[in-house]
């Protein structure tokens, strides 16, 4: 009898349904295509690699500045209306940017249009996390919630990494087969169709239940600035800086060997391992606590990054990347799990977009600084930056351990 009851308990996959996961996955693709697509079309139309890099950074800047605001709007007005408006706005901006780039407009207008693309970028990944966490809180029994949340964050992180591998690949195919503007037009169509479908999916209705009768969040804004949550944002910022500095310094490393085009292949070694290990987090035992996971896996990331000071060949670089891949995926999953656990009532979308923006800001800063140092000082100096970023992620894990211990002691005293 007990066995029948257990098997009848709904899983998140059954609650949300397969169409949800398919739509949410495809709806992420446009964002992964935007940055590379913008770079491709600017370099082709304007003949300036420097302007292309600045334009890509402008997209990231727009996303970082407006992403949390879109999350707050989704918490306030519901995901459905915000996503529908943003999908149409972003599709329009992508078309407009293409027209501006191929026109006679000044470079400054190109940069402004790029910021507009980033500002209207649909926050599908963080809003999907927020939506699924809400479904878990509502429909999954309490005893199964921690493992289900952990598994959900693992899937979401793996989906993000998969999309960011396929996104540039699709851009390359469309740009080669049709024209440099094709990836942006394709991204615009995908945005309107699939982000629209993501907005209209029935699961969007569940998120609004965390708001009060007056439509306001059930917790004050000050809850977003608790030390425990700020430490998670610091840690995820470190991961973002790592992504930006690692890819840029790796490109410089391979360029020194006249094989810059192979940087993406080597980077894939870390990406594949990271995605696989991220999914594996769902099967870790509950006794291996979240705060312990953060320390262990960010420690592996830091140890792998220290090998960058010794690499002298692509083979040695692959070994370092493989070790770092073991640490980076589970660290990211753990940080998102903390974000989900610490989200104030009615502000989960805001928290998730803050975390997502932390990665974007970190990537933009890391890529810009690493590129400048690699060009002016050299590759060896640039390879120190991923070590610094990994140290930030690990240090935030230590702070989180201390804060978690203090919180546990307070609960014990109160009890």
């Amino acid at each position: 009898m007990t066995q029948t009851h257990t098997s009848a308990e709904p899983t998140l996959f059954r609650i949300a349904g397969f169409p949800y996961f398919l739509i949410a996955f495809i709806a992420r693709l446009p964002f992964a295509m935007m940055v590379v697509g913008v770079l491709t079309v600017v370099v082709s139309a304007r003949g300036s690699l420097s302007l292309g890099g600045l334009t890509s950074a402008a997209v990231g800047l727009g996303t970082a500045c407006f992403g949390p605001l879109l999350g707050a709007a989704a918490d306030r007005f519901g995901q459905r209306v915000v996503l529908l408006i943003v999908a149409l706005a972003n599709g329009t901006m992508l078309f407009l940017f293409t027209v501006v780039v191929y026109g006679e407009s000044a470079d400054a207008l190109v940069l402004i249009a790029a910021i507009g693309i980033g500002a209207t970028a649909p926050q599908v990944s963080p809003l999907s996390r927020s939506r699924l966490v809400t479904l878990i809180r509502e429909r999954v029994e309490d005893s199964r919630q921690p493992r289900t949340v952990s598994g959900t964050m693992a899937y979401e992180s793996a989906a993000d990494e998969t999309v960011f591998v396929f996104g540039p690949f699709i851009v390359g195919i469309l740009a080669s087969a049709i024209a440099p503007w094709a990836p942006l037009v394709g991204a615009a169509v995908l945005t309107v169709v699939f982000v629209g479908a993501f907005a209209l999916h029935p699961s969007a209705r569940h998120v609004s239940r965390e708001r009060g009768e007056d439509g306001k969040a059930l917790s004050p804004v000050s809850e977003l600035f608790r030390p425990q949550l700020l430490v998670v944002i610091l840690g995820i910022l470190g991961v973002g800086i790592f992504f930006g500095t690692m890819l840029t310094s790796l490109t410089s490393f391979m360029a020194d060997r006249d094989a810059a085009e192979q940087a993406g292949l080597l980077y894939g070694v870390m990406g594949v391992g990271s995605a696989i290990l991220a999914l594996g987090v769902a099967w870790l035992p509950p006794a291996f606590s979240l705060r312990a996971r953060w320390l262990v896996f960010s420690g592996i990331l830091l140890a792998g990054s220290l090998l960058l000071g010794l690499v002298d060949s692509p083979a040695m670089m692959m070994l370092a990347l493989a070790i770092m891949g073991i640490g980076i995926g589970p660290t990211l999953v753990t940080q998102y799990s903390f974000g989900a656990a610490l989200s104030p009532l009615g502000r989960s979308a805001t928290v998730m977009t803050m975390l997502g923006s932390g990665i974007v800001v970190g990537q933009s800063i890391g890529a810009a600084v690493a590129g400048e140092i690699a060009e002016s000082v050299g590759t060896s100096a640039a390879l120190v930056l991923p070590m610094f970023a990994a140290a930030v992620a690990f240090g935030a894990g230590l702070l989180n351990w201390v804060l978690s211990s203090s919180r546990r002691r307070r609960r014990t005293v109160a009890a």
Side-chain angles (χ1 to χ4, degrees), residues 107-290:
D107 291 348
L109 192 58
V110 174
L111 292 174
I112 292 172
I115 292 174
I117 290 176
T120 57
Q123 302 291 311
V124 174
S125 293
L127 292 184
S128 176
R129 287 180 170 92
S130 170
R131 194 180 296 190
L132 292 177
V133 167
T134 302
L135 285 173
I136 292 169
R137 287 174 178 171
E138 289 183 357
R139 305 285 293 279
V140 177
E141 65 178 29
D142 292 348
S143 62
R144 292 170 53 222
Q145 284 188 14
R147 179 178 283 273
T148 307
V149 169
S150 180
T152 301
M153 295 302 123
Y155 161 76
E156 289 285 318
S157 297
D160 285 344
E161 295 195 36
T162 303
V163 162
F164 275 95
V165 170
F166 279 106
F169 179 70
I170 294 172
V171 168
I173 291 178
L174 292 176
S176 301
I178 304 175
W181 51 261
L184 292 184
V185 174
V189 173
L190 285 175
T191 297
V192 173
V193 175
F194 284 94
V195 175
F198 179 71
L200 295 173
H201 190 273
S203 60
R205 288 197 294 265
H206 288 267
V207 189
S208 61
R209 293 181 185 176
E210 289 196 346
R211 293 182 285 139
E213 293 180 0
D214 58 356
K216 294 183 179 180
L218 299 175
S219 56
V221 177
S222 59
E223 290 287 303
L224 295 172
F225 300 98
R226 287 180 297 158
Q228 295 90 338
L229 190 54
L230 293 177
V231 164
V232 178
I233 295 172
L234 174 63
I236 214 161
L237 178 67
V239 172
I241 294 173
F242 174 81
F243 282 137
T245 54
M246 189 65 248
L247 180 56
T248 306
S249 58
L250 174 61
T251 303
S252 178
F253 178 83
M254 294 306 294
D256 291 345
R257 288 153 181 78
D258 296 323
E261 70 281 357
Q262 295 180 18
L265 295 176
L266 262 68
Y267 194 71
V269 171
M270 185 182 75
V272 171
S274 175
I276 293 173
L277 267 295
L279 284 172
V281 170
W283 284 275
L284 291 175
F288 189 8
S289 66
L290 284 177

Side-chain angles (χ1 to χ4, degrees), residues 41-42 45-48 51 55 93 95-114:
V41 76
V42 169
R46 298 286 173 123
S48 172
L51 179 61
T55 310
M93 285 304 306
F95 278 116
L96 180 63
F97 178 83
T98 307
V99 173
V100 169
V101 169
Y102 280 99
E104 300 296 327
S105 305
D107 291 348
L109 192 58
V110 174
L111 292 174
I112 292 172

Side-chain angles (χ1 to χ4, degrees), residues 225-411:
F225 300 98
R226 287 180 297 158
Q228 295 90 338
L229 190 54
L230 293 177
V231 164
V232 178
I233 295 172
L234 174 63
I236 214 161
L237 178 67
V239 172
I241 294 173
F242 174 81
F243 282 137
T245 54
M246 189 65 248
L247 180 56
T248 306
S249 58
L250 174 61
T251 303
S252 178
F253 178 83
M254 294 306 294
D256 291 345
R257 288 153 181 78
D258 296 323
E261 70 281 357
Q262 295 180 18
L265 295 176
L266 262 68
Y267 194 71
V269 171
M270 185 182 75
V272 171
S274 175
I276 293 173
L277 267 295
L279 284 172
V281 170
W283 284 275
L284 291 175
F288 189 8
S289 66
L290 284 177
R291 62 183 192 147
R293 293 178 195 180
W294 188 340
L295 278 183
V296 169
F297 289 112
S298 63
I300 294 172
L301 173 63
L302 179 58
S305 70
L306 294 177
L307 289 177
L308 295 173
L310 305 174
V311 294
D312 56 3
S313 66
M316 185 70 174
M317 178 61 81
M318 285 180 67
L319 174 62
L321 288 167
I323 293 173
M324 289 184 284
I326 294 173
I328 191 70
T331 298
L332 194 58
V333 170
T334 302
Q335 290 168 338
Y336 270 115
S337 297
F338 265 110
L342 295 170
S343 294
L345 277 177
R347 298 193 183 276
S348 59
T350 307
V351 171
M352 289 303 165
T353 47
M354 286 169 68
L355 296 179
S357 295
I359 293 180
V360 173
V361 170
Q363 280 181 313
S364 301
I365 294 174
V369 173
E372 182 64 31
I373 289 180
E375 191 170 329
S376 59
V377 183
T379 300
S380 297
L383 285 171
V384 174
L385 297 177
M387 303 180 204
F388 165 77
V392 170
F394 182 74
L398 286 173
L399 282 174
N400 179 72
W401 181 278
V402 173
L403 290 172
S404 299
S405 299
S406 300
R407 194 161 63 248
R408 287 187 175 192
R409 281 197 297 270
R410 285 197 300 270
R411 286 176 182 171

